[in-house]
Amino acid sequence: MKSKYTTLLLAAWLLGSATSCQDDFTDLEPQGTITNANFWKSDADALAASNGLYTYMKDDDMFGRGFFWLINASDDMVTGRVRATAANVRNFTATGNEGDTNKMYGYSYRVIRRCNEILKNVPAMNISESLKNRVLGEAYFMRAFTYFHIATRYGDQRAGVPIVTVANMDQNIFPRPASVVENYQLMEEDFKKAAELLPLVTTYAPADLGRAHKDAALAYLTKTYAFWAQYDKSKWAEAEKAADAVASSGSGRALLNTGNAQQDFHSVFTIPNNWSTEYIWSVVSGKQDGSILPGVLLENKGWGLYNGWGYFQPTLDLYEEYEANDPRRKATILTFGDEFQYLGATKRYSSTNSLTGFQFSKYMQPYETPVTDHLNANGDKPTTDLNVPLMRYAEVLLLKAEAQIMQGKNGDAALNAVRRRAGLAPKTGATLADLKHERRVELAGEFADRHADLVRWGDAQATYAKPQRGRDYADKSNPSSTFKVVEVWPARTFNPAIHHVWPIPPTDLANSKIAQNQGW
């Protein structure tokens, strides 16, 4: 949302503070409910409450780099700098106390609490029906979206994550449900309600872009079914239907495809296309606020010109996954000798810091021009004007193809739409292996979450039993240097009976009196 809502965001922050649980959540004991007779009265109040739902989207410990530490466990990347806590997560020796990852769980329940306050109070407000429906739709969407990110990571068939709704939000204790399926059932209900209540994104005025919308609800409903299908294969049919609903919603969601394969994929990750037809859901970003991920991925110290942080570096294994003529590789990964624009000048890539000899380049467009154009001048908060995508239409197509393949159907059309944009030959009778390849190369370096894919496919144990490789350059400051292939991260032990979920932060366990995930 744009600056016209600045004062409302302040009100929303106060609202959230008044209604959230303890800062160290989850004792899950409410610290009071809204009693201010002047609130829940006007359009402005409803807007303030809905704006508060998005506060944590931009948080460094959420979609800045918080959840990315868990994605970093995959074979696509390694931790680019020495960081013991991050290494513990990547090596599956974490305790849950790690500062990199111990906030997402609690922050997520703060968002859920804000959603519940809206769902409790807005129905009785004397405001326009269209605004009421939208605000309620936003709350249903954000509650389900938030549950998706914690239930899929901390819940399994042995125990879900605590369910907090309007009906029970004022209780003191919230036990874990018997299975994560109960979480999926709530997400299904919420995403469907959101899809009914929310408008199409194409109807939003510029100031409202970034709010939840119908296609986002349908797309995440699709992904919810794909994860649910681990426990109930009938959900693949539902995933296919939900993906079709995105395509037929009337919003014109489509891949950016002008027929120029060398440019089209790259163009998705550019500021002018923040709200393109491929947009489904993103972290709305700006120079002063938003996701710090682009700066986190940038070369450490930014070649002396900007404070990049140098984390999450692509592996040689990912680089080699691409077909030789796939333009997505260049658009995704910088390798020694590649020419690119950096802060107004042409540069050839080299790195004295990269462990692998590579850098993710998907989010580099804001760095093409001088710092003042699109970057936060404060490199300690390296946000940019580029929205960071969380869900693209390309992923919806790949989820549809996967759903079809898993039902024994032909998934060629959806999968080949993605390949066609890259200028690649179509697949005939695409297999699950073809689908896995396409997800990996299309969505590399994104919040789509390669690690979660490997876990739900049952591939994580075998994949992580192999070391990750990179290139060690003889002269790291020379873009034309020779290199040798080296091991950059040793093989890891992944126990699928334990490591398919993450440890819940111990402080949250103590406060909420729930049990830790088994084996952690």
Side-chain angles (χ1 to χ4, degrees):
M1 286 71 71
K2 306 301 182 183
S3 58
K4 66 180 286 186
Y5 291 115
T6 300
T7 56
L8 296 180
L9 282 168
L10 176 60
W13 175 254
L14 294 174
L15 167 66
S17 298
T19 62
S20 66
C21 305
Q22 286 187 0
D23 286 349
D24 289 333
F25 192 88
T26 71
D27 67 345
L28 291 178
E29 182 177 348
Q31 297 302 295
T33 56
I34 292 293
T35 58
N36 187 341
N38 293 322
F39 207 79
W40 304 116
K41 299 293 185 183
S42 66
D43 287 6
D45 294 340
L47 285 170
S50 67
N51 289 339
L53 299 177
Y54 305 103
T55 303
Y56 284 101
M57 291 284 293
K58 302 177 181 182
D59 193 279
D60 294 358
D61 289 303
M62 293 286 276
F63 295 101
R65 58 174 178 165
F67 282 116
F68 222 83
W69 289 117
L70 305 182
I71 298 170
N72 181 54
S74 83
D75 57 338
D76 278 358
M77 62 190 81
V78 299
T79 306
R81 295 162 59 187
V82 176
R83 191 178 182 94
T85 52
N88 289 345
V89 175
R90 182 171 169 78
N91 290 332
F92 309 111
T93 58
T95 65
N97 275 322
E98 288 75 16
D100 296 320
T101 56
N102 68 1
K103 299 180 180 65
M104 293 101 71
Y105 183 89
Y107 285 0
S108 294
Y109 277 98
R110 296 186 193 182
V111 176
I112 290 166
R113 179 73 192 205
R114 294 182 184 190
C115 294
N116 287 334
E117 289 290 349
I118 287 175
L119 296 174
K120 174 183 177 181
N121 291 285
V122 168
M125 293 180 71
N126 185 22
I127 58 177
S128 72
E129 198 68 16
S130 61
L131 177 60
K132 180 181 291 187
N133 285 342
R134 195 196 75 194
V135 169
L136 289 172
E138 290 178 86
Y140 280 120
F141 173 81
M142 284 301 295
R143 187 169 73 177
F145 170 81
T146 304
Y147 266 118
F148 178 85
H149 283 86
I150 55 174
T152 57
R153 291 178 165 100
Y154 298 102
D156 63 11
Q157 75 281 6
R158 300 172 297 190
V161 297
I163 293 175
V164 186
T165 65
V166 173
N168 69 347
M169 61 191 278
D170 293 323
Q171 294 178 187
N172 293 328
I173 300 295
F174 299 83
R176 300 187 70 173
S179 168
V180 72
V181 168
E182 294 182 45
N183 294 116
Y184 288 130
Q185 290 169 339
L186 176 64
M187 286 182 255
E188 178 187 36
E189 294 172 6
D190 280 2
F191 281 135
K192 285 183 173 180
K193 289 176 183 175
E196 291 173 3
L197 292 168
L198 288 170
L200 294 173
V201 66
T202 48
T203 68
Y204 278 147
D208 286 322
L209 290 173
R211 294 187 181 280
H213 56 90
K214 187 181 296 292
D215 286 355
L218 293 170
Y220 273 99
L221 178 61
T222 305
K223 195 163 185 177
T224 295
Y225 285 134
F227 274 74
W228 192 350
Q230 297 172 84
Y231 311 105
D232 180 354
K233 294 187 184 304
S234 72
K235 299 307 172 186
W236 284 120
E238 299 300 324
E240 183 182 2
K241 291 177 186 177
D244 283 339
V246 178
S248 63
S249 71
S251 68
R253 294 300 89 190
L255 298 180
L256 288 177
N257 187 358
T258 68
N260 185 343
Q262 297 302 317
Q263 294 296 326
D264 288 338
F265 182 77
H266 167 75
S267 73
V268 174
F269 307 94
T270 60
I271 295 164
N273 282 325
N274 275 342
W275 310 110
S276 74
T277 58
E278 192 155 343
Y279 159 76
I280 295 289
W281 193 238
S282 299
V283 181
V284 181
S285 296
K287 285 192 286 188
Q288 303 303 320
D289 198 12
S291 174
I292 62 172
L293 186 65
V296 172
L297 296 173
L298 181 66
E299 167 79 1
N300 189 25
K301 305 302 180 185
W303 300 282
L305 298 175
Y306 190 76
N307 189 27
W309 292 11
Y311 288 115
F312 311 139
Q313 296 165 356
T315 60
L316 178 58
D317 309 88
L318 172 61
Y319 184 82
E320 291 180 344
E321 179 74 14
Y322 288 86
E323 295 160 67
N325 60 337
D326 190 339
R328 291 175 294 185
R329 179 163 69 181
K330 185 174 182 180
T332 302
I333 300 173
L334 278 174
T335 186
F336 267 54
D338 283 353
E339 193 173 274
F340 64 104
Q341 295 297 306
Y342 185 67
L343 304 184
T346 300
K347 184 175 181 64
R348 291 182 67 210
Y349 178 74
S350 65
S351 173
T352 58
N353 298 295
S354 176
L355 299 180
T356 65
F358 301 106
Q359 179 191 300
F360 279 111
S361 59
K362 270 187 174 175
Y363 311 106
M364 284 292 288
Q365 191 255 344
Y367 299 97
E368 292 179 358
T369 53
V371 170
T372 53
D373 287 2
H374 297 296
L375 308 180
N376 191 338
N378 176 11
D380 291 331
K381 179 71 173 177
T383 54
T384 79
D385 287 334
L386 178 67
N387 290 352
V388 173
L390 302 180
M391 172 73 77
R392 298 189 283 117
Y393 187 61
E395 184 172 8
V396 176
L397 288 172
L398 292 175
L399 287 168
K400 177 181 177 178
E402 183 177 358
Q404 291 173 321
I405 292 168
M406 293 301 291
Q407 294 175 81
K409 296 182 177 181
N410 186 297
D412 290 359
L415 184 141
N416 285 330
V418 176
R419 289 182 62 80
R420 188 180 309 115
R421 192 255 296 277
L424 299 174
K427 295 286 185 179
T428 300
T431 65
L432 184 59
D434 293 324
L435 182 281
K436 291 176 179 180
H437 163 81
E438 213 60 45
R439 272 193 70 87
R440 187 179 189 186
V441 298
E442 174 74 21
L443 303 170
E446 299 184 41
F447 280 98
D449 200 340
R450 164 75 174 170
H451 171 70
D453 282 344
L454 291 171
V455 171
R456 69 185 178 90
W457 290 330
D459 294 342
Q461 184 176 27
T463 299
Y464 299 152
K466 303 173 185 176
Q468 269 74 70
R469 300 171 302 138
R471 291 174 173 174
D472 182 20
Y473 284 84
D475 182 353
K476 292 179 171 53
S477 62
N478 179 5
S480 300
S481 176
T482 59
F483 65 86
K484 61 181 179 181
V485 174
V486 296
E487 179 182 304
V488 294
W489 204 278
R492 295 168 285 159
T493 299
F494 180 93
N495 183 341
I498 298 173
H499 303 137
H500 62 296
V501 289
W502 295 100
I504 296 172
T507 299
D508 295 328
L509 295 175
N511 288 338
S512 59
K513 299 177 177 61
I514 60 175
Q516 180 61 279
N517 284 319
Q518 294 180 33
W520 286 100

